[in-house]
Amino acid sequence: MSGRAQLMWDEAVTGYDFGSGHPMDPVRLALTMRLVEAYELDRGPLEVVAAKPAGDSTLRLVHREDYIEAVRRASADPAAADPSYGLGTADDPAFAGMHEASALIAGQSVGAAEAVWRGDAAHAVNFAGGLHHAMPGGASGFCIYNDASLAIARLLELGAQRVAYVDVDVHHGDGVQAAFWEDPRVLTISLHEHPRTLFPQTGWAEETGGEGAQGSAANVALPAGTGDAGWLRAFHAVVPELLRAFQPQVIVTQHGADTHFEDPLAHLAVSLDAQRLVAESCHELAHELADGRWIALGGGGYAVVDVVPRSWTHLTAIAAGRPIDPTSMVPEAWRHEVFRRTRQLAPQRMTDGRTPSWRDFVDDGYDPADRLDQAVLATRRAVFPSHGLLP
């Protein structure tokens, strides 16, 4: 296997644009790529690759043909968008070229899966991807085509027998869970804000997989307000043990930056520094368990200047084997670019100034009256026995 990492990037992914005022501003993608370039990560061990858009046969690995045709119609004539497919709604307004932009993003994730499985790269990153809410027959939650599910489906098509998907976006990875609900070859793990307080109102601990695939879904529903210590405690109380029991051949991770305390659409209180630690842990687990095969995707994140570019540049740097010192100053040229594009002042450093730590759930014990510990224990009780683990 190559030791190189690939960054999947085509500037045209910024055409995934729901319009002025929509939270998913594509400037977050452009600014992330400019920050990657400012740190010269696109040189050396990181190869920047543009994959072709996902074709219909690929899209049909997950999506229904009638839905793909509905997206095409809305793409050609946004006024003809059919809300019964989730198109033309407040969350997913139709826009000209929607099919092409969505298929391009999906193609980058599928290309990442192909490169990693075939050994062309050890790791591959598509921070434009992670559109985890799209369902087989409909758009949802800013997501048209589910590139994460398509990447996993392509891995299975290429011969993978065990694929693990770890989703740390603030929202439940419902579309990926739904796509593989009855497939024991895919383990989906999602840590997210509790469905009582956040879209899509799914991701309860009791959701553990369909018939013939019990234990293939794990959901940690975190109380609103959870910060670094609780978020990291929950991650380490669930993810490593399940992955070690499952022994995946490849790990796909989704790194929505909307867990951050500055994100305007959710209610967790996680720092950039904790997000970086989780990315490092995913990298380490891929090497420990999957011969290094790691596909890392973006996702949500609506603090488009202050949070998203730094979070995903750290992710890219970790994949490239050139982690960035969080205390380093953000390159001045990038800060000028931020102001030119947005008239906002850019952050000064690659850190929120936090040094996150957490208590180990098993070694330090748990507090049955603590809501975070209750959430972790509910997940372990629901899923761990299916994998031969003690809850």
Side-chain angles (χ1 to χ4, degrees):
M1 176 181 290
S2 167
R4 293 179 66 86
Q6 287 189 358
L7 173 61
M8 313 306 294
W9 177 256
D10 184 320
E11 202 75 29
V13 298
T14 60
Y16 190 83
D17 186 354
F18 290 112
S20 177
H22 193 281
M24 191 174 259
D25 187 335
V27 75
R28 69 198 194 119
L29 302 179
L31 290 178
T32 301
M33 190 61 194
R34 301 293 86 81
L35 188 55
V36 165
E37 292 166 346
Y39 273 103
E40 299 186 347
L41 295 173
D42 54 329
R43 306 178 189 179
L46 184 69
E47 181 183 12
V48 180
V49 176
K52 66 180 190 289
D56 282 11
S57 61
T58 297
L59 294 172
R60 286 197 299 266
L61 291 173
V62 168
H63 294 290
R64 295 201 320 251
E65 192 161 3
D66 61 309
Y67 173 59
I68 298 167
E69 286 307 310
V71 175
R72 281 189 190 281
R73 289 194 299 271
S75 184
D77 179 8
D82 186 344
S84 71
Y85 289 103
L87 302 169
T89 62
D91 274 3
D92 297 284
F95 59 91
M98 180 170 65
H99 167 78
E100 290 76 14
S102 303
L104 182 62
I105 289 174
Q108 305 315 303
S109 292
V110 171
E114 292 170 344
V116 167
W117 185 252
R118 292 172 178 161
D120 297 337
H123 314 320
V125 178
N126 176 24
F127 55 72
L131 304 179
H132 60 169
H133 294 307
M135 292 292 177
S140 178
F142 313 163
C143 305
I144 306 300
Y145 293 139
N146 195 316
D147 64 285
S149 293
L150 289 164
I152 294 168
R154 177 53 57 84
L155 289 167
L156 298 176
E157 191 178 49
L158 292 172
Q161 292 298 311
R162 294 181 310 283
V163 180
Y165 172 75
V166 179
D167 188 320
V168 296
D169 192 288
V170 79
H171 302 92
H172 177 225
D174 57 339
V176 185
Q177 176 179 286
F180 303 103
W181 183 246
E182 296 181 342
D183 193 334
R185 297 173 297 172
V186 181
L187 171 66
T188 64
I189 307 174
S190 179
L191 283 80
H192 47 265
E193 185 179 328
H194 201 287
R196 283 199 192 95
T197 54
L198 196 66
F199 174 90
Q201 282 78 52
T202 58
W204 301 79
E206 295 77 16
E207 296 170 33
T208 59
E211 186 175 352
Q214 290 83 3
S216 67
N219 289 290
V220 189
L222 302 167
T226 297
D228 287 357
W231 193 64
L232 292 169
R233 177 172 169 84
F235 178 92
H236 288 283
V238 172
V239 175
E241 282 186 77
L242 281 179
L243 291 185
R244 288 173 184 136
F246 186 67
Q247 289 291 304
Q249 295 164 290
V250 58
I251 297 176
V252 181
T253 56
Q254 196 269 21
H255 298 266
D258 43 9
T259 52
H260 196 272
F261 55 77
E262 288 186 12
D263 196 90
L265 298 190
H267 319 98
L268 296 191
V270 174
S271 72
L272 183 77
D273 303 284
Q275 292 175 344
R276 181 178 55 82
L277 290 180
V278 160
E280 288 180 345
S281 293
C282 291
H283 179 216
E284 292 164 4
L285 286 163
H287 279 287
E288 175 190 341
L289 300 170
D291 197 25
R293 295 188 188 93
W294 181 35
I295 298 150
L297 308 174
Y302 309 101
V304 299
V305 168
D306 287 343
V307 178
V308 174
R310 292 186 297 161
S311 185
W312 292 346
T313 298
H314 275 304
L315 174 67
T316 303
I318 289 164
R322 288 178 52 191
I324 296 169
D325 180 352
T327 64
S328 69
M329 296 294 292
V330 173
E332 185 176 4
W334 183 77
R335 289 189 280 117
H336 287 312
E337 176 72 0
V338 167
F339 188 78
R340 185 185 72 80
R341 284 177 176 258
T342 69
R343 290 298 183 261
Q344 295 184 44
L345 296 177
Q348 297 285 316
R349 296 183 182 273
M350 291 294 286
T351 178
D352 286 329
R354 308 288 176 86
T355 52
S357 62
W358 70 95
R359 294 183 301 109
D360 185 83
F361 189 83
V362 175
D363 291 346
D364 289 353
Y366 61 91
D367 178 357
D370 182 84
R371 291 172 61 219
L372 185 281
D373 283 4
Q374 289 170 1
V376 169
L377 193 58
T379 302
R380 290 172 63 103
R381 283 176 172 161
V383 179
F384 274 35
S386 297
H387 295 270
L389 300 171
L390 293 173

